[in-house]
């Protein structure tokens, strides 16, 4: 009964409401307008849902795009709503290192493969001019020349921060100074790898005995710049140096980095002129240049045993028992955490499959250390004494390695070439010894011969070159094959 009364009440209210609408037309119009507004709101809600769906789809596309390019820098800044369509924003300004605020005037829409992108083109004319310059095959520019193996670096966080702080403060030239084989080159390469996005071009250049030869060499490669041949003859090295240096001064900026490696001379008359180029210079050296008012970081051996053990594990991933790990720590202390010696020891134990305690006892005997004597890492300030001890450790390991006569002749032959890097196959053709290929491969695996896998060129590290040349004293009699080739080359016109 109550239910029927409620229904009748509702019916009465509805009838009265309709009468009011009929009698009062303006009020009726308002109700109709209200109904239209509700419809508009529903349509707007549908549009919002549609945009929301588009947003989620575009977001997924963006995430997929960024995932596919995880190893490269993303230039996608975000998402914009352009005429009720959600579109990802790609910043050309950011790509060209000219980060600015996005504005409607500097945005264009392109469609590629069904995906629309909003391109921020701040100062578009300047950017287009840059693209035109870079697409000009006749233009002159410095080639990027830097390769780096990220797997072989451990520690050195403090030194890396120092380098970045010094360059960020406005310094143009920085020397990394330290004993041979301590890790200066790898430190410089690591910096270039970590901060590479700050530079337009990075060039790694080994010092070739003089700044003139270094600049004229192939490591500083400038597009469309070669040693010229005229009716008077081939351009002299000095003329080529002057011309190439002038181009470097015109073409390089603070956005370019030149790593000059192994600048192990007390002076070079052309160094100051080379440093007049407006790019940044990171120079590795065994000399001390603080007296010349250059900014310098002294690179010492790593102090944290955990870093040293991690470096050992990079080259020898074998799993050792705790007692064996303790023996390895004693060996590493014995060689005073010297970076290159640590690498050679790791490779020696890996290749020889010798137990750590055997090598420890051999090295103790050679070093004249008794089994009960405590071994400690010494931080020597005297560079001459540092280098002498390093040579002693390397000599001990060299003697323990038991090199064959073929391996000894190969290393002696390479030492006669000095700092020259030579193609592996070319070198083997110069030294046609029985079993030379296998012997050379083993020397590379053991770390006594360096190989650039990109160029397939080989050489001796400077500190090993010093050891082989001064200790083995190669002669024409001990290295007949390479001596004959060098003599024939010298006789050529």
């Amino acid at each position: 009964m109550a239910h029927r009364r409620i229904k009748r009440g509702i019916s009465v209210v509805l009838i009265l409401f309709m009468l009011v609408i009929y009698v009062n037309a303006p009020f009726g119009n308002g109700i109709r307008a209200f109904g239209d507004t509700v419809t508009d709101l529903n349509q707007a809600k549908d549009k919002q849902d549609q945009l929301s769906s588009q947003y989620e789809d575009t977001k997924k596309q963006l995430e997929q795009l960024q995932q596919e390019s995880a190893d490269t820098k993303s230039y996608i800044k975000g998402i914009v709503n352009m005429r009720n369509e959600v579109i990802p924003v790609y910043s050309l300004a950011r790509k060209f290192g000219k980060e600015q605020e996005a504005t409607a005037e500097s945005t264009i829409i392109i469609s590629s493969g069904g995906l629309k992108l909003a391109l921020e083109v701040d100062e578009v004319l300047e950017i287009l001019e840059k693209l035109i310059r870079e697409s000009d095959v006749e233009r002159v520019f410095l080639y990027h020349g830097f390769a780096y193996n990220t797997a072989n670096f451990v520690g050195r966080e403090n030194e890396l921060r120092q380098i970045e702080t010094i360059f960020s403060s406005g310094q143009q030239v920085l020397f990394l100074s330290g004993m041979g084989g301590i890790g200066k080159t790898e430190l410089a390469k690591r910096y270039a790898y970590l901060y590479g996005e700050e530079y337009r071009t990075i060039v790694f250049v080994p010092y070739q005995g003089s700044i003139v030869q270094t600049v004229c060499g192939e490591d500083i490669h400038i597009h469309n710049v070669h040693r010229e041949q005229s009716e008077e003859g081939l351009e002299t090295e000095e003329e080529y140096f002057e011309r190439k240096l002038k181009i470097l001064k015109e073409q390089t900026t603070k956005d370019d980095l030149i790593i000059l490696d192994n600048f192990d001379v007390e002076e070079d008359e052309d160094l100051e002129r080379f440093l007049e180029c407006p790019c940044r210079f990171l120079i590795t050296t065994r000399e001390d240049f603080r007296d010349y008012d250059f900014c310098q970081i002294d690179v010492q051996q790593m102090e944290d045993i955990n870093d040293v053990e991690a470096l050992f594990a990079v080259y020898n991933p074998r799993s050792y028992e705790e007692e064996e790990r303790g023996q390895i720590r004693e060996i590493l202390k014995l060689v005073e955490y010297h970076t290159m010696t640590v690498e050679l020891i790791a490779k020696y134990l890996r290749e020889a499959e010798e137990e750590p305690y055997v090598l420890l006892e051999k090295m103790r005997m050679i070093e004249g250390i008794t089994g009960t004597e405590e071994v400690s890492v010494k931080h020597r300030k005297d560079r001459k004494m540092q280098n002498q001890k390093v040579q002693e450790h390397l000599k001990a390991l060299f003697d323990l390695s038991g090199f064959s006569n073929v391996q000894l002749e190969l290393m002696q032959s390479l030492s006669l070439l000095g700092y020259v890097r030579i193609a592996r196959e070319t070198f083997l053709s110069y030294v046609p010894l029985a079993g030379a290929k296998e012997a050379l491969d083993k020397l590379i695996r053991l770390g006594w011969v360096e190989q650039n896998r990109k160029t397939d060129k080989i050489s001796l590290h400077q500190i090993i070159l010093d050891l082989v040349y001064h200790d083995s004293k190669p002669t024409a009699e001990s290295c007949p094959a390479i001596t004959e080739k060098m003599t024939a080359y010298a006789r050529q016109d």
Side-chain angles (χ1 to χ4, degrees):
M1 182 73 67
H3 181 66
R4 284 197 296 271
R5 282 200 300 269
I6 290 170
K7 285 184 68 176
R8 281 199 298 271
I10 291 172
S11 299
V12 170
V13 170
L14 287 173
I15 291 169
L16 289 173
F17 186 66
M18 294 299 293
L19 284 171
V20 169
I21 291 171
Y22 179 77
V23 172
N24 194 342
F27 182 76
N29 291 337
I31 292 296
R32 285 192 294 275
F34 175 76
D36 292 341
T37 302
V38 170
T39 302
D40 289 343
L41 285 172
N42 286 333
Q43 290 176 347
K45 185 176 183 304
D46 291 341
K47 190 66 176 177
Q48 183 181 10
D49 291 341
Q50 182 182 355
L51 283 172
S52 232
S53 175
Q54 277 186 341
Y55 175 86
E56 291 301 324
D57 290 343
T58 307
K59 186 179 177 183
K60 287 178 182 177
Q61 287 179 329
L62 176 58
E63 289 172 351
Q64 182 180 356
L65 215 84
Q66 290 176 328
Q67 181 64 32
E68 289 173 355
S69 60
D71 294 332
T72 61
K73 180 178 179 181
S74 174
Y75 302 106
I76 296 177
K77 291 186 66 174
I79 294 173
V80 294
N81 186 337
M82 301 286 285
R83 297 176 183 172
N84 295 328
E85 188 172 4
V86 179
I87 300 171
V89 179
Y90 184 97
S91 175
L92 289 180
R94 178 182 290 181
K95 176 175 175 58
F96 287 99
K98 294 175 62 62
E99 182 72 32
Q100 293 183 7
E101 293 296 324
T103 59
E105 290 80 12
S106 62
T107 304
I108 61 172
I109 307 298
I110 66 167
S111 178
S112 176
L115 176 66
K116 287 186 177 181
L117 288 176
L119 300 185
E120 286 185 354
V121 284
D122 307 77
E123 300 183 13
V124 64
L125 290 179
E126 182 179 341
I127 292 174
L128 286 175
E129 285 175 3
K130 183 172 184 177
L131 287 171
I132 291 169
R133 287 197 305 271
E134 293 192 354
S135 63
D136 182 7
V137 295
E138 297 300 322
R139 75 188 185 94
V140 172
F141 62 89
L142 180 64
Y143 273 103
H144 181 90
F146 171 69
Y148 176 65
N149 182 1
T150 60
N152 296 341
F153 192 89
V154 172
R156 302 288 192 191
E157 286 83 4
N158 289 336
E159 290 91 337
L160 289 166
R161 281 194 293 270
Q162 275 186 281
I163 297 171
E164 170 58 14
T165 300
I166 289 169
F167 277 139
S168 296
S169 70
Q171 284 288 341
Q172 181 205 355
V173 180
L174 173 61
F175 283 82
L176 301 180
S177 177
M179 73 176 86
I182 202 64
K184 305 181 296 295
T185 298
E186 289 302 311
L187 177 60
K189 287 183 175 180
R190 185 67 174 183
Y191 165 78
Y193 168 75
L194 291 177
Y195 297 95
E197 290 184 356
E198 296 184 7
Y199 296 99
R200 177 182 61 178
T201 306
I202 300 174
V203 182
F204 181 83
V205 190
Y207 182 67
Q208 298 294 336
S210 73
I211 291 296
V212 171
Q213 290 177 318
T214 302
V215 171
C216 291
E218 61 183 17
D219 293 301
I220 298 182
H221 185 191
I222 304 176
H223 186 59
N224 282 330
V225 176
H226 311 281
R227 204 163 173 179
E228 294 180 346
Q229 178 76 45
S230 65
E231 293 181 358
E232 288 76 23
L234 184 65
E235 183 178 28
T236 67
E237 185 175 62
E238 190 62 38
E239 290 170 339
Y240 185 41
F241 167 72
E242 294 293 340
R243 185 164 61 89
K244 204 170 179 182
L245 184 62
K246 182 174 182 292
I247 293 170
L248 285 171
K249 290 180 180 179
E250 293 170 348
Q251 294 294 322
T252 59
T253 70
K254 63 180 179 59
D255 296 325
D256 302 307
L257 172 67
I258 292 180
I259 301 174
L260 180 59
D261 192 40
N262 291 333
F263 185 71
D264 297 327
V265 294
E266 292 183 358
E267 61 179 351
D268 187 304
E269 61 181 4
D270 294 300
L271 176 63
E272 295 276 3
R273 297 182 60 206
F274 187 37
L275 299 183
E276 289 174 1
C277 296
C279 59
R280 288 178 177 174
F281 288 91
L282 187 56
I283 304 173
T284 69
T285 180
R286 289 192 281 184
E287 302 296 330
D288 190 339
F289 282 88
R290 285 173 297 189
D291 292 341
Y292 297 87
D293 294 329
F294 286 117
C295 195
Q296 177 175 298
I297 294 176
D298 290 330
V299 183
Q300 303 289 341
Q301 63 261 58
M302 290 186 286
E303 297 185 355
D304 190 335
I305 182 61
N306 295 317
D307 287 342
V308 181
E309 288 181 322
L311 179 65
F312 177 93
V314 166
Y315 298 105
N316 186 349
R318 175 183 163 185
S319 179
Y320 289 97
E321 299 295 332
E322 181 57 39
E323 183 180 0
E324 293 174 316
R325 289 200 294 271
Q327 293 159 355
I328 290 171
R329 280 192 288 271
E330 287 301 305
I331 297 172
L332 302 182
K333 284 182 184 179
L334 188 62
V335 299
E336 302 179 19
Y337 298 169
H338 180 260
T339 309
M340 169 153 280
T341 313
V342 170
E343 175 187 340
L344 292 171
I345 287 171
K347 291 179 176 179
Y348 172 86
L349 289 173
R350 183 192 70 196
E351 294 295 320
E353 297 183 353
E354 188 171 279
E355 296 304 318
Y357 80 90
V358 176
L359 177 61
L360 177 59
E361 290 307 313
K362 288 179 179 177
M363 294 198 70
R364 279 179 175 272
M365 187 178 298
I366 292 175
E367 297 273 352
I369 300 173
T370 64
T372 58
E373 189 174 342
E374 181 69 21
V375 176
S376 61
V377 178
K378 298 179 177 63
H379 297 271
R380 297 181 175 86
K381 293 183 179 180
D382 185 86
R383 292 201 175 197
K384 187 175 180 180
M385 187 174 291
Q386 281 181 335
N387 292 327
Q388 182 180 337
K389 290 305 296 181
V390 168
Q391 287 292 328
E392 288 177 8
H393 300 322
L394 283 174
K395 177 66 167 58
L397 193 58
F398 186 90
D399 293 339
L400 289 173
S401 297
F403 296 119
S404 68
N405 290 332
V406 174
Q407 289 172 329
L408 286 172
E409 183 170 342
L410 290 175
M411 284 192 285
Q412 289 174 350
S413 299
L414 280 171
S415 75
L416 289 174
L417 297 177
Y419 305 133
V420 174
R421 293 165 295 159
I422 183 171
R424 181 174 173 276
E425 292 304 318
T426 302
F427 176 71
L428 287 172
S429 71
Y430 287 176
V431 190
L433 304 172
K437 180 179 181 299
E438 295 75 15
L440 180 60
D441 288 343
K442 187 166 185 179
L443 288 172
I444 292 171
R445 289 198 306 273
L446 287 169
W448 292 94
V449 173
E450 292 185 327
Q451 179 188 29
N452 185 320
R453 298 197 178 277
K454 183 178 179 181
T455 63
D456 201 32
K457 290 185 176 182
I458 59 173
S459 62
L460 294 179
H461 186 282
Q462 214 161 20
I463 195 168
I464 294 176
L465 190 154
D466 292 343
L467 172 69
V468 173
Y469 189 81
H470 295 294
D471 188 71
S472 298
K473 295 181 173 56
T475 62
E477 289 74 24
S478 62
C479 305
I482 194 72
T483 303
E484 182 181 341
K485 284 291 182 182
M486 292 170 67
T487 303
Y489 180 80
R491 288 174 177 169
Q492 290 178 356
D493 293 334

